[in-house]
Amino acid sequence: MLTISQLASYAGVTVRAVRHYHRIGLLPEPERDRSGYRTYDAAAVVRLIRIRTLADAGVPLARVQELLDAGPEDFADGVQEIDKTLRAEIRRLQDTRSRLARLAAGEHLALPQRVVDYLDRLRGLGVEERYIEMERDAWIMIAAQVPHSIDAVIAKKHEELDDPDTVKLYSLLSGALDWPADDPRIVEVADIMERLMIRAEEAGEVGADDGIDDQFVDLLDSIAANSSPVAERLRAILEERGWKGWIRIERVPAERLSTELLPL
């Protein structure tokens, strides 16, 4: 007869593992000797080795009992079912690893790939990282607000990057975060923005329903307005010329210009 330490040694497991298998019912409790110690026979060694082999193969302990008691055909079916479950789990873990690898870049968190590609295009144009981070945070909110239309919105932004005026605008805005409010280049930015707004109006894009509620538009506008002293100056210039809004552009009716505009 064997002690629990000898049983564990012969089966290649720890004494703690043997006690755990007792607790969960995988290994029946043996009789005890006159001193109160457990004693084991060869059958216990064989059963424990089978338990260890199944567990080492990845069989969940909750399924080990079922397989130990199964006949050859049921055993084979059970192993195939467990293998199918394990393969599905492996695919899930591989997908998780892939997502984690993409998240390492930072922008993949809560952003569709096309938006990430757009931000990468801005980097390729030499736009500084501070400005790209501002755009990224805005796109995260937009993607969450209008997930079903974000692809169409960002597709339009990709098209705009083929426009030399848009490229020039980004090259200027990239460094504008540190400009003083009276920097003469602000007027150049306003000129470019106005040209783009006129084209958008001619294409019927100004005033079109974008699916974003007014409160959210106001939030995004406030972020843009507070990004730099340049933003307020730009807003004033553009409103003087009859334009309003950063995210949702609209024409300012002429009768409102005299009452709403701030002095430059």
Side-chain angles (χ1 to χ4, degrees):
M1 302 301 286
L2 303 173
T3 65
I4 190 170
S5 295
Q6 291 171 321
L7 171 69
S9 177
Y10 288 144
V13 300
T14 64
V15 171
R16 182 177 179 181
V18 174
R19 290 177 176 145
H20 177 64
Y21 295 149
H22 282 322
R23 285 195 300 272
I24 64 177
L26 282 181
L27 187 66
E29 284 275 0
E31 294 183 0
R32 294 177 181 264
D33 62 17
R34 292 180 180 180
S35 301
Y37 292 104
R38 298 182 179 92
T39 56
Y40 300 87
D41 58 15
V45 176
V46 171
R47 185 174 179 87
L48 185 55
I49 290 174
R50 295 182 69 198
I51 292 171
R52 187 208 70 198
T53 301
L54 289 169
D56 288 348
V59 176
L61 290 181
R63 301 291 303 276
V64 167
Q65 181 72 56
E66 169 192 335
L67 293 182
L68 287 174
D69 297 337
E73 185 175 340
D74 289 340
F75 182 89
D77 291 343
V79 168
Q80 288 181 359
E81 182 182 344
I82 292 169
D83 180 63
K84 181 180 179 180
T85 300
L86 288 174
R87 282 187 279 115
E89 179 65 9
I90 289 170
R91 287 193 298 270
R92 186 190 68 80
L93 291 173
Q94 288 173 335
D95 289 343
T96 299
R97 290 193 65 202
S98 296
R99 288 195 298 272
L100 288 173
R102 291 195 301 270
L103 289 177
E107 279 139 13
H108 285 85
L109 182 62
L111 278 180
Q113 182 61 47
R114 291 203 67 179
V115 177
V116 175
D117 293 341
Y118 176 74
L119 296 176
D120 284 341
R121 285 189 69 183
L122 295 185
R123 290 189 177 92
L125 295 173
V127 177
E128 69 173 350
E129 200 63 28
R130 278 194 306 161
Y131 186 89
I132 289 175
E133 288 173 1
M134 284 193 344
E135 283 235 1
R136 178 201 63 202
D137 291 347
W139 282 115
I140 287 175
M141 292 188 289
I142 293 171
Q145 179 73 10
V146 287
H148 301 302
S149 58
I150 187 64
D151 282 346
V153 173
I154 199 63
K156 178 62 179 174
K157 296 297 291 184
H158 274 284
E159 289 179 11
E160 291 172 359
L161 284 185
D162 295 328
D163 186 325
D165 268 340
T166 301
V167 174
K168 178 63 174 177
L169 178 64
Y170 269 116
S171 70
L172 289 168
L173 288 178
S174 175
L177 296 175
D178 297 321
W179 292 354
D182 59 353
D183 193 297
R185 288 172 292 181
I186 298 175
V187 175
E188 182 181 1
V189 171
D191 291 341
I192 296 174
M193 292 181 68
E194 185 175 20
R195 286 200 297 273
L196 294 173
M197 290 173 175
I198 291 171
R199 291 175 201 164
E201 184 180 42
E202 291 173 345
E205 297 165 358
V206 172
D209 183 13
D210 52 19
I212 305 176
D213 66 65
D214 294 342
Q215 185 175 4
F216 187 67
V217 170
D218 290 341
L219 173 62
L220 293 176
D221 277 352
S222 68
I223 294 173
N226 295 328
S227 62
S228 165
V230 171
E232 179 60 24
R233 170 73 172 169
L234 267 176
R235 184 198 65 80
I237 294 173
L238 290 170
E239 284 203 7
E240 184 184 49
R241 299 179 183 185
W243 299 97
K244 183 178 181 181
W246 295 108
I247 305 303
R248 181 185 294 150
I249 301 167
E250 60 178 310
R251 277 287 194 181
V252 180
E255 62 271 14
R256 286 169 47 190
L257 288 178
S258 60
T259 58
E260 291 188 2
L261 295 181
L262 297 177
L264 301 185

